[in-house]
Structures are given as C-alpha cells and as structure tokens.
Amino acid sequence: MNKQEVNNQRVMLILAVFLICGILLYALRSVLLPFVVGIAVAYFLDPAVNKLENSLKFSRSLATTMVLGLFLLILLPVIAVLGSMAFSQISDFLSNLPQYVDGFVKKLKVWLEQVKEYLPPLENNNLNNLWQGRQGESIKPLVNVIKKIAENGFALVNVLSLLLISPVVAFYMLRDWHNFTGRILALVPKKHKKNVTDAAKAINRIISGYLRGQLLVCIFLGSFYALGLWLVGLKLGLLIGFLAGIISFIPYVGSISGFLMAMILVVSQYGTLPKILAVIAVFGVGQFLEGNFLTPKLVGENIGLHPVWVMFALLAGGVLLGLLGMIIAVPVAACIGVLLRFMIRRYKNSAIYLES
C-alpha cells in the first residue's frame, strides 16, 4: 500500500468519525444538554482546581470538591433570586399585556396621525381597520410561544436534569480531567502527536480566551442594562436588561433585541420623549463600553474568531440543536478555524502551491 492510499484511508477514517459523531449528536440532542453543561462547567473551573492541586498540594478530589462546592454555593442562590424576580416580572407583564398592547397601538396611531401628511393618503376607516386587524396578529407569536412552553412538559425534565445531573458530571469531569485528556492523546499516532498537541493548545487558547472573557462581558452588560432600565422606571426592565446582556454573546443580536423590546415597553408604558431618550442612552452607553473597553480588554481581538463567524456558528448551532447547539457552537467553530488554518499552511508548503 503506497503513501497516497494510506493518506486517503486516513482522510476517509477522519470523515467517518466526524459523520458518526454528528449523527449521534443530532439523535441524542434531547438528552445531552445536562452532560454538555457539566463538561462546560468543568472546563471553566479546571484552572482553579489545577491551582489548588499544584500550588497548595491538595489532592485532586479535595480540590475538585472545594472549587465545585464554592461555585454551586454562589450560583444556586443567584439563580433562585433571579428566577423569583423573573417569575414575578413575567407574571406582572402577562397580566398587563392587553393594556401594554392597547397603549402601544394608541400611541403609535397618534404618531401616525401626526405624520400622515407625509404618507400616501389613507382613509381613517382604513387606518382603524388596519390596526384592528393587526392588533390580534401582533399577540399571536407571544401566545404561541407561551402555549408551547406550557404544553411541553419535557422542558421541566430538562431543568431538573440540569440541576441534578450537571453537578455530578462536572465533579467527575473535573476530578478525572487529566486522565481523559491523557487517554485521548495516547490514541494519537506518535508521528502526528506534536501537530495534534499544538492544535489542541491553539483550540484551548481560543476557546478559553473567548468563553471566559465573553462570560464576564455578558454579566457586566446584563447588570448594566438591568440597572439602567430599572432606574428609568421600566416595568420588566430588570428582566429585559439582564436577558439582553446574556444574549450579547451573539454579536449585535442581544443588544438589538433588548433595545427593541425596551423601546416597545417604554412607548406602551410611558410614551414620553425623556423616557424614550433615557432607554436609548442606556443601550448607547452599554454599546460604547462593550465596543471600546469590555470586549477589547476581556475577550481580546486576536483570538482568531471573527464576529461574523461566531454569529453564524451560534445561529446555525441553535437551528440544528437548539440550546445544546449554541453551547457547543463556539468550541466547534474554534476547532474548524484551527483545522482550516493548518490545512492552509500545509497547502502553501505543498508542491501544488509552490509549483511555478
């Protein structure tokens, strides 16, 4: 068997492995979420466990127990407080939803009346009929979402599995992290071990730099938006602001969606120019801080992931696998980026490229 045939077999084997993994991932997507979350938590906490193990000479099990215990001790009360706050604000929002819709429609009709002279002529009856026809349709998407959540009992199972299974998975992954990585590396042929190790280090640098930095950015923006909208006096402002900050790991989507929701609520609740300008100022300052200070300092500009590539990966992962896909989107995008750069370097050093 010549070298070309060996290379072809190697490529076919790699493609077959990726294909099988993709099929299994898609088939098991409904049960993988708590395991992926547990692995993600272990990945985040591994540096702290390594610090205790190497610097203070703690055993791996003791260091894992201390770090994970402290993490859960901080996280669970925060989730409880935020969940209670979100439930209260959502209940208030749903009870006042008809008034919000009616107020928004009335204020928008007033504005349209003021600019009607700049628009094609419309009869008043036609305008009223248009609003009456669209008013019900505007609520349909929200009603459908709420109905789907209420009917889908599996969502409760997912939440319970996250609370019960993910911490267990995180503990065992943290405790045995080096054993797992060592066994995987031992399967790599010695000839390619250096290339695989270098690629793994590059992927780890990109993922850790992006995820840990982006997490801090999301927490800061969520807190800033929530506090700003609360000071404006916007009902549901705390929830919308926090969600806008958390969703900002998708470039531009979080800030734009949060801004649009806040504008709809401020128009329906107040409709005054000072309040509208205050909401615009909150998101404007948040975007200025993110673009000029937070992202450059915490995430960095040389991690090798272009914002457009990140946006595509997150949206594609969300469409294919839902929340699970969005969680693994950035690691997969980082792996693909490293592999593509490696292939491009090999191509530029090959006889095909160098041949004159």
Side-chain angles (χ1 to χ4, degrees):
M1 186 178 294
N2 58 36
K3 185 176 180 181
Q4 183 63 36
E5 291 177 343
V6 172
N7 290 334
N8 291 339
Q9 287 187 355
R10 185 182 296 125
V11 171
M12 292 300 295
L13 177 62
I14 293 174
L15 292 176
V17 169
F18 276 109
L19 181 61
I20 293 172
C21 290
I23 294 174
L24 289 175
L25 189 64
Y26 185 79
L28 301 174
R29 64 190 184 278
S30 59
V31 298
L32 285 179
L33 182 60
F35 297 93
V36 173
V37 171
I39 294 172
V41 170
Y43 179 79
F44 274 105
L45 299 181
D46 182 62
V49 174
N50 290 339
K51 189 77 172 177
L52 289 179
E53 184 182 17
N54 297 328
S55 300
L56 301 180
K57 304 303 179 183
F58 287 2
S59 68
R60 185 76 184 182
S61 297
L62 178 60
T64 297
T65 303
M66 292 180 63
V67 171
L68 187 60
L70 181 62
F71 175 76
L72 295 176
L73 194 63
I74 296 173
L75 181 65
L76 293 179
V78 172
I79 292 177
V81 171
L82 292 178
S84 174
M85 187 183 303
F87 180 79
S88 174
Q89 292 212 350
I90 290 174
S91 299
D92 180 69
F93 172 75
L94 292 177
S95 63
N96 293 292
L97 181 60
Q99 292 89 334
Y100 290 154
V101 174
D102 185 60
F104 179 76
V105 170
K106 286 180 179 178
K107 289 181 175 66
L108 207 54
K109 285 177 65 176
V110 171
W111 292 346
L112 280 179
E113 290 290 340
Q114 294 174 352
V115 299
K116 194 166 61 173
E117 60 187 49
Y118 302 103
L119 298 174
L122 284 174
E123 297 293 335
N124 288 333
N125 291 334
N126 292 337
L127 188 63
N128 291 331
N129 292 337
L130 178 65
W131 279 116
Q132 289 174 2
R134 295 296 181 185
Q135 185 170 347
E137 293 181 8
S138 63
I139 311 176
K140 282 183 180 179
L142 180 61
V143 174
N144 291 335
V145 170
I146 296 173
K147 185 178 179 181
K148 187 175 181 181
I149 292 174
E151 292 177 350
N152 188 8
F154 196 70
L156 179 61
V157 177
N158 277 336
V159 173
L160 292 176
S161 64
L162 282 174
L163 295 176
L164 298 176
I165 298 177
S166 295
V168 178
V169 174
F171 175 83
Y172 284 109
M173 287 300 300
L174 263 177
R175 192 189 67 176
D176 302 325
W177 188 270
H178 296 300
N179 292 334
F180 282 118
T181 55
R183 289 176 181 177
I184 294 174
L185 188 61
L187 297 175
V188 178
K190 294 181 179 179
K191 179 181 178 181
H192 303 287
K193 188 161 292 188
K194 184 180 185 306
N195 288 333
V196 172
T197 303
D198 293 341
K201 289 180 179 178
I203 291 172
N204 179 66
R205 177 183 61 82
I206 293 173
I207 295 176
S208 61
Y210 179 84
L211 293 184
R212 293 189 177 103
Q214 193 63 53
L215 178 64
L216 294 175
V217 172
C218 290
I219 292 175
F220 180 89
L221 284 178
S223 303
F224 178 82
Y225 288 146
L227 179 61
L229 295 179
W230 178 74
L231 292 176
V232 170
L234 196 65
K235 293 180 180 178
L236 210 69
L238 284 173
L239 181 61
I240 288 178
F242 189 74
L243 288 178
I246 296 301
I247 302 175
S248 15
F249 69 89
I250 308 176
Y252 309 112
V253 172
S255 56
I256 292 175
S257 59
F259 174 74
L260 292 177
M261 288 189 292
M263 288 299 293
I264 291 173
L265 284 181
V266 76
V267 169
S268 62
Q269 292 174 15
Y270 298 101
T272 59
L273 185 60
K275 293 287 187 181
I276 293 174
L277 292 178
V279 170
I280 294 174
V282 168
F283 282 91
V285 173
Q287 284 301 290
F288 175 79
L289 292 175
E290 179 189 6
N292 293 277
F293 298 101
L294 297 177
T295 299
K297 297 293 184 182
L298 297 177
V299 179
E301 299 175 346
N302 299 314
I303 60 172
L305 291 176
H306 194 277
V308 175
W309 177 233
V310 173
M311 187 185 306
F312 173 79
L314 289 167
L315 294 180
V319 169
L320 293 174
L321 300 172
L323 180 59
L324 173 64
M326 299 187 75
I327 292 175
I328 66 174
V330 172
V332 171
C335 294
I336 294 174
V338 170
L339 292 176
L340 285 177
R341 284 191 288 271
F342 175 76
M343 292 171 63
I344 291 172
R345 285 197 303 269
R346 292 289 298 268
Y347 166 70
K348 288 186 174 181
N349 292 327
S350 67
I352 299 175
Y353 181 80
L354 298 175
E355 186 179 3
S356 58

